[in-house]
Amino acid sequence: MKKTALVVTAALSLILVAAGCGSNNKSDNTQAQNGNKAAANVSASGNASGEVKKVVIGTGTGFPQVCFIDENGKLTGFDVELIKEIDKRLPQYEFDIQTMEFSNLLLSLETNKIDLVAHEMEKNPEREAKYLFNKEPYAHWRNKIVVPQDNNTIHSLDDLAGKKVLVGATSAQAQILENYNKDHDKKINIVYQNGAANDTVSQITTGRVDATLAADFTLSLIDPQAKLKTTGDNLSEADILFVLRKNDPAEQELSDAIDVALKELKADGTLGKLSTEWLGGDFTAESSK
């Protein structure tokens, strides 16, 4: 019987920009139900010996409804529960979920401290050049500018030039602003949020910063009192996938096995149900290509 271990190494705080589940013991019934699937997936996993391989999963604790510590001190959320569902369907692997600051996730992957990042990671050209992404998206989002409800002057990145914009360090949103600044003389003043922070809404509404960028589903999560709004056109849209190390055969085998499991989760409706439960809607639709 395989167990999903959980090691919580980050501060146990529920935060407004980035958020958890206790250890999950698989039952004998679950193993029996997944036995046939495991046999079918051996070719994808590359593990025909029957040996169970340990995989260290890196996630955070401060992204509401995605990966966060709930009122009972339990790590849970969309990405966490999805990882557990994938783990149930891959008996050839044992997932060990560890938590850390968001800004440390990719570095930990590069230095072999973890094997996979699960934190709503957007695929973009800059990341794709350095990391391996699995092929089957588990979510799709659109990035937009977020401002106070009473702000009617900001509608585009050009309108943010010279203004302070709060984004997470190493985030896809930060990359959007950095790319803008590379191509424009009048720069956006990027305020980096190193790790989780619990005052995003107050920073914007009190004028300490002028705006932030956020994926379409996150606004209601970080701003339940609706003090903020999105504005302007989509800045980007991207598939959300898991991130692994490049040029590593074991990582490629893991990626292939995860894709098999994700296709099953989509086909039986589990993925859409998880998205609706945790994110308030089904954000699992793939982009049209």
Side-chain angles (χ1 to χ4, degrees):
M1 182 170 65
K2 186 177 64 161
K3 298 182 179 179
T4 299
L6 169 67
V7 179
V8 176
T9 59
L12 303 181
S13 55
L14 175 61
I15 315 210
L16 291 171
V17 257
C21 212
S23 61
N24 177 31
N25 294 333
K26 296 181 178 64
S27 69
D28 291 333
N29 287 337
T30 299
Q31 291 295 322
Q33 291 168 359
N34 290 326
N36 292 336
K37 292 175 184 175
N41 292 346
V42 162
S43 60
S45 72
N47 181 17
S49 67
E51 177 190 358
V52 175
K53 294 183 178 180
K54 181 179 177 180
V55 175
V56 181
I57 309 292
T59 191
T61 60
F63 197 154
Q65 303 303 107
V66 171
C67 47
F68 71 104
I69 305 297
D70 69 13
E71 64 275 10
N72 298 315
K74 179 183 177 184
L75 179 65
T76 191
F78 177 59
D79 280 40
V80 175
E81 300 305 326
L82 175 57
I83 281 293
K84 290 180 178 181
E85 286 292 336
I86 293 172
D87 193 15
K88 290 177 184 177
R89 296 171 189 240
L90 299 178
Q92 66 270 42
Y93 291 105
E94 176 184 340
F95 287 179
D96 174 8
I97 306 175
Q98 299 193 9
T99 61
M100 58 193 66
E101 294 287 353
F102 174 79
S103 57
N104 292 332
L105 285 168
L106 292 176
L107 178 60
S108 295
L109 180 67
E110 293 173 17
T111 56
N112 296 322
K113 293 179 181 178
I114 61 175
D115 302 305
L116 179 147
V117 177
H119 200 297
E120 291 290 307
M121 298 297 287
E122 174 181 323
K123 182 178 179 180
N124 58 35
E126 292 80 9
R127 287 175 174 168
E128 194 171 13
K130 295 182 66 176
Y131 307 106
L132 171 68
F133 287 82
N134 70 295
K135 294 180 180 179
E136 192 73 20
Y138 67 91
H140 185 80
W141 72 16
R142 297 152 187 84
N143 284 303
K144 301 193 71 121
I145 298 170
V146 176
V147 296
Q149 283 283 0
D150 60 358
N151 184 299
N152 297 311
T153 61
I154 294 176
H155 305 286
S156 68
L157 290 177
D158 288 338
D159 296 331
L160 291 175
K163 299 186 182 297
K164 295 180 179 179
V165 183
L166 182 69
V167 288
T170 76
S171 67
Q173 291 77 21
Q175 190 72 60
I176 291 172
L177 300 182
E178 291 162 0
N179 288 344
Y180 179 92
N181 282 350
K182 288 178 184 177
D183 298 331
H184 295 81
D185 293 329
K186 190 174 182 183
K187 311 295 186 185
I188 296 170
N189 185 354
I190 306 173
V191 179
Y192 291 101
Q193 191 173 67
N194 190 16
N198 60 3
D199 61 348
T200 299
V201 176
S202 65
Q203 285 208 55
I204 296 173
T205 56
T206 60
R208 281 180 283 167
V209 297
D210 298 288
T212 189
L213 307 186
D216 47 8
F217 73 84
T218 62
L219 187 56
S220 63
L221 306 183
I222 68 172
D223 180 30
Q225 295 181 341
K227 295 181 178 180
L228 308 177
K229 66 180 181 181
T230 59
T231 183
D233 296 331
N234 296 334
L235 300 177
S236 67
E237 58 180 284
D239 290 330
I240 305 303
L241 304 115
F242 299 115
V243 189
L244 305 93
R245 280 184 300 279
K246 263 191 170 183
N247 304 317
D248 184 329
E251 291 280 273
Q252 184 63 63
E253 291 171 2
L254 173 61
S255 176
D256 292 344
I258 285 173
D259 283 335
V260 172
L262 281 171
K263 288 177 181 178
E264 292 178 356
L265 288 161
K266 288 181 179 181
D268 67 18
T270 302
L271 185 63
K273 289 178 182 177
L274 284 173
S275 178
T276 300
E277 176 185 356
W278 290 103
L279 306 181
D282 189 349
F283 292 92
T284 65
E286 298 179 36
S287 58
S288 57
K289 303 244 186 348

